Amino acid sequence: MRKMTEGSIARHLLAYAIPMILGNFFQLTYNAVDAIVIGKFAGEGALAAVSAANPVMTIVVLGVSGISIGASVLMSRFYGAGNQDALRREVATTLIFGAAASAVVFALGLPASGLILRSMNVPAEILPMAVTYLRIIFVGFLFTFQYNVLAAAMRSVGDSRTPVVFLAITSVLNGALDLLFVAGFGWGVAGAGLATVLAEGISTSLCIWHIAHHIPVLHMGLKDMRVDRALLRETVASGAITALQQACQPVGKVLIQSVINAQGISMIAAFNAVSRMDDFAFIPEQSIASGMMVCIAQNRGAGKPERVSRTLITGMKIEAVYGFLICVATLLLKRPIMLLFAASGEAAMVQMGVDYLSVMAFLYIIPGMTNGIQGYFRGMGEMRTTLVATFIQISVRALVIYLLVPRVGLQGAAWACAVGWGFMLVYTTARYRTVSRSHTL
């Protein structure tokens, strides 16, 4: 456990963020390996079926993630205030709500899987496989929800390392089960879905075991397992807003991708490659912001406004240092990075990606600032501000891409990011002045 209401704020933020960074890097790497196993041993159709089901899974996971973030802010606030009873009531309330929500998703999703996928124009030749995979994922949704809640509870008391360790263990296990079920037994997409569900079930079990043996503040008996309606309303309200905020990004990316798709295969391939680079670059910024959220929420709960302000300043300094480092690394490695994704003879694609990264290298510092300020607002419980800010950012970015990319190429997508983030910073800076004056800590 890590009490962030005392001691060095910079040390707290780095100790919290580094395990999350490693875990997210590991997850991105595992996702790539998982796709390779399915594609090589089950075939192109199976890989396409899993890809077709992914948007549905993404929407469901966004809901889980939103509720978990909303609950995490409350948990961190109660932990910082030393209110262990409220902390346990919040954990219990979210777990019970998660079980009920999982039952609803299962009951509705299982019979509706085919209808959902047909409405998405999934090709008939892969539809049965996609339906099978999605139904298995719906069966295991309970584990997905409960793991996220338990991991949020551990992070709220400052333990960001253990969820990452469990993520690493279960990701390796998932990969091993993929090889066994898909490559060994030849179960195709059903094997891939079963591997995912079993791995998530084990990750949930590991979280329960760890909390029972190592985190006394989160111990709960049967008498604690009840729903606090007031806390449930607050959790769902903030969680729903966060889920909407996160949903803005994939919706906006669909619009952006449609513009890119109209520019030809080389640009589509280049954009896919640089987007993966962006994902890796953004992970540390998001992890630092997550640490800021927990630290701010804990200190808000403890009634320490001076540490809230210092957390924001310290976090922004760390984001700026990282922005400089990722700029240098990107400038040095931009061509080797693009060559990793390119086959021989794809010089046009490589050059498009190099041009994009040449601009984006200097811009990565800006999302560090936007992520940091969003960490502040989340820690303060200002979820609506983050929703509006994200909507502004993705809307402006999509519009500028529509205007620039057909005229100046893939570099226009980089400049569009800068404009979108710039508008976002203007709005959040104005909101910060209001929030910092009006909140009673």
Side-chain angles (χ1 to χ4, degrees), residues 232-253:
L232 179 60
R233 284 193 295 271
E234 191 171 357
T235 301
V236 172
S238 61
I241 293 172
T242 303
L244 283 173
Q245 178 211 348
Q246 293 178 314
C248 287
Q249 293 288 0
V251 171
K253 286 181 179 179

Side-chain angles (χ1 to χ4, degrees), residues 308-356:
V308 169
S309 300
R310 283 169 50 202
T311 298
L312 177 59
I313 295 170
T314 303
M316 287 300 204
K317 288 179 179 178
I318 295 173
E319 295 276 23
V321 170
Y322 169 75
F324 172 76
L325 294 176
I326 192 62
C327 172
V328 173
T330 303
L331 290 174
L332 292 175
L333 300 174
K334 57 189 178 183
R335 187 167 292 277
I337 288 170
M338 288 305 304
L339 290 172
L340 285 175
F341 293 92
S344 59
E346 294 182 345
M349 186 272 273
V350 170
Q351 191 58 50
M352 286 181 190
V354 169
D355 292 343
Y356 173 94

Side-chain angles (χ1 to χ4, degrees), residues 81-311:
N83 192 341
Q84 296 184 10
D85 178 62
L87 172 60
R88 285 191 288 268
R89 281 189 285 115
E90 172 61 19
V91 175
T93 295
T94 311
L95 287 172
I96 294 171
F97 171 77
S102 300
V104 172
V105 168
F106 172 76
L108 297 178
L110 208 64
S113 295
L115 177 63
I116 293 170
L117 292 170
R118 278 192 293 271
S119 70
M120 295 168 59
N121 297 317
V122 173
E125 58 268 30
I126 65 169
L127 182 62
M129 288 190 291
V131 169
T132 297
Y133 182 78
L134 188 58
R135 283 176 173 168
I136 293 173
I137 296 301
F138 279 140
V139 170
F141 181 64
L142 172 65
F143 298 133
T144 303
F145 207 129
Q146 303 300 59
Y147 167 78
N148 276 273
V149 174
L150 294 169
M154 285 189 277
R155 293 187 184 109
S156 72
V157 299
D159 182 3
S160 63
R161 183 181 67 86
T162 301
V164 170
V165 172
F166 292 162
L167 176 64
I169 292 172
T170 53
S171 293
V172 171
L173 176 63
N174 196 344
L177 291 173
D178 271 337
L179 287 171
L180 177 63
F181 295 158
V182 179
F185 295 164
W187 290 351
V189 295
L194 182 59
T196 298
V197 170
L198 288 175
E200 288 179 344
I202 290 172
S203 68
T204 302
S205 300
L206 287 172
C207 288
I208 294 172
W209 175 86
H210 181 78
I211 288 171
H213 288 82
H214 299 287
I215 309 182
V217 71
L218 295 178
H219 286 182
M220 291 177 290
L222 289 177
K223 62 180 180 63
D224 297 310
M225 296 304 293
R226 55 188 178 84
V227 173
D228 184 310
R229 293 184 179 181
L231 287 178
L232 179 60
R233 284 193 295 271
E234 191 171 357
T235 301
V236 172
S238 61
I241 293 172
T242 303
L244 283 173
Q245 178 211 348
Q246 293 178 314
C248 287
Q249 293 288 0
V251 171
K253 286 181 179 179
V254 169
L255 300 175
I256 291 167
Q257 188 68 52
S258 66
V259 176
I260 299 296
N261 290 347
Q263 311 309 311
I265 293 174
S266 292
M267 186 173 291
I268 295 171
F271 186 69
N272 180 275
V274 297
S275 293
R276 291 175 185 268
M277 173 60 193
D278 287 345
D279 288 340
F280 277 97
F282 296 154
I283 281 172
E285 298 173 340
Q286 293 162 352
S287 300
I288 294 164
S290 181
M292 292 170 65
M293 178 191 77
V294 172
C295 189
I296 286 169
Q298 283 193 16
N299 283 286
R300 183 186 174 208
K304 296 185 175 182
E306 74 288 348
R307 284 183 67 85
V308 169
S309 300
R310 283 169 50 202
T311 298

